[in-house]
């Protein structure tokens, strides 16, 4: 299976998210052989996007950008896995570097959240990635493997977990697209993990998507800015579908 996902991060109103999802529904139809598309809107739009895709059985998975590990309780501002699932989420992003940097996400909370998501039968998408400084000091691969190991530690079913390798230095408007040889060694190590798949994210674009998909160990792409326009997502999807056919 090849994956193409986008997180809207903190963008889009419900109306904008619904229009985007409607376009995707039209483009994906009954599904694309060997490709699993997913969209992760802000929490406010999870239910809206689910509806606009035609419901929970859509071939496009809807996700949440974060979750709490408890099922319910006095955790002001948080959303639980059952709540996200109730809104239509089937995949939950955990440990994005923006959350690690700004909201205190740690390997310990990533582990708790990963377990919570699996407990409820949803798919955890665990984000891992090294900083520029760590890479420069020669510890990039070890740091990424340590983050992944922390998330998977003690799990009965690591094969239900998706990993997104997102080097911090490659993400967002201040990031730079990686050269293949910079990320290939990390991807090779991650591909040895007993997980459902490894996605690459960070400055993915229509220009580099095909090349990134061809890297050994890459099962898909997790895209921010370059997929926030629905037509751009549809074009990326065509690239992923072509790649899926070529490797079938
Ligand atoms: P960009 O594609 O905008 O660099 O963001 C990647 C990302 O963080 C996806 O979660």
């Amino acid at each position: 299976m090849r994956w193409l996902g986008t997180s809207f991060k903190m963008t889009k109103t419900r109306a904008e998210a619904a229009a985007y999802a409607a376009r995707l529904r039209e483009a994906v139809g009954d599904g694309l052989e060997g490709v699993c598309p997913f969209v992760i809107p802000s929490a406010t739009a999870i239910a809206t996007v689910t509806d606009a895709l035609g419901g929970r059985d859509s071939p496009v998975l809807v996700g949440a950008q974060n979750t709490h590990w408890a099922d319910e309780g006095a955790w002001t501002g948080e959303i639980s896995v059952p709540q996200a699932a109730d809104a239509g989420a089937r995949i939950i992003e955990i440990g994005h570097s923006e959350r690690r940097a700004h909201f205190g996400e740690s390997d310990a909370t990533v582990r708790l959240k990963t377990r919570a998501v699996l407990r409820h039968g949803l798919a955890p998408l665990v984000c891992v990635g090294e900083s520029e400084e760590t890479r420069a000091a020669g510890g990039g691969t070890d740091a990424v493997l340590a983050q992944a190991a922390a998330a998977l530690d003690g799990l009965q079913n690591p094969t239900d977990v998706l990993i997104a390798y997102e080097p911090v230095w490659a993400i967002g408007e201040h990031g730079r697209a990686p050269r293949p040889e910079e990320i290939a060694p990390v991807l090779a190590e991650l591909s040895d993990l007993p997980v459902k798949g490894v996605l690459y994210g960070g400055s993915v674009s229509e220009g580099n998507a095909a090349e990134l998909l061809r890297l050994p160990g890459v099962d898909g792409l997790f895209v921010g800015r370059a997929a926030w326009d629905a037509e751009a997502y549809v074009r990326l999807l065509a690239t992923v579908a072509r790649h899926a056919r070529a490797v079938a």
Side-chain angles (χ1 to χ4, degrees):
M1 179 61 71
R2 303 289 140 166
W3 304 80
L4 176 66
T6 184
S7 159
F8 292 165
K9 305 195 181 185
M10 198 172 71
T11 73
K12 297 195 193 299
T13 62
R14 285 180 301 149
E16 289 164 349
Y20 184 107
R23 175 69 185 101
L24 245 58
R25 184 182 184 185
E26 171 191 280
V28 170
D30 294 335
L32 300 167
E33 187 76 29
V35 182
C36 185
F38 66 89
V39 178
I40 309 188
S42 296
T44 49
I46 296 172
T48 307
V49 167
T50 301
D51 290 345
L53 286 168
R56 289 153 198 273
D57 296 330
S58 166
V60 182
L61 302 183
V62 180
Q65 295 177 16
N66 183 33
T67 184
H68 196 275
W69 54 84
D71 288 359
E72 61 177 17
W75 299 98
T76 300
E78 294 290 304
I79 292 172
S80 70
V81 180
Q83 289 176 314
D86 176 56
R90 289 187 278 167
I91 182 167
I92 299 202
E93 185 179 355
I94 300 169
H96 190 279
S97 67
E98 289 151 13
R99 296 209 58 83
R100 291 181 193 256
H102 304 299
F103 302 102
E105 191 83 276
S106 66
D107 283 349
T109 57
V110 166
R111 178 161 54 227
L112 288 167
K113 293 176 181 192
T114 304
R115 285 167 179 268
V117 172
L118 289 172
R119 194 166 67 236
H120 290 283
L122 279 69
L125 173 65
V126 176
C127 302
V128 296
E130 81 286 7
S131 67
E132 183 86 78
E133 299 73 39
T134 303
R135 166 170 286 256
T141 303
D142 286 349
V144 170
L145 291 177
Q147 287 176 344
L152 301 176
D153 182 39
L155 290 184
Q156 310 269 306
N157 41 358
T159 49
D160 292 336
V161 176
L162 284 167
I163 298 276
Y165 171 45
E166 302 206 312
V168 178
W169 47 270
I171 292 175
E173 57 182 319
H174 302 298
R176 69 171 175 84
R179 294 190 302 278
E181 65 272 20
E182 290 180 295
I183 55 173
V186 185
L187 288 163
E189 294 277 353
L190 288 174
S191 71
D192 286 340
L193 296 174
V195 293
K196 194 199 281 277
V198 176
L199 282 58
Y200 171 78
S203 290
V204 174
S205 68
E206 291 178 52
N208 65 13
E211 179 181 45
L212 290 166
L213 284 165
R214 282 195 297 270
L215 284 175
V218 171
D219 300 304
L221 302 173
F222 188 30
V223 191
R225 294 156 297 152
W228 288 346
D229 171 73
E231 297 305 328
Y233 186 102
V234 170
R235 288 191 297 271
L236 283 164
L237 196 54
T239 301
V240 177
R242 245 189 329 272
H243 176 77
R245 280 195 300 274
V247 297

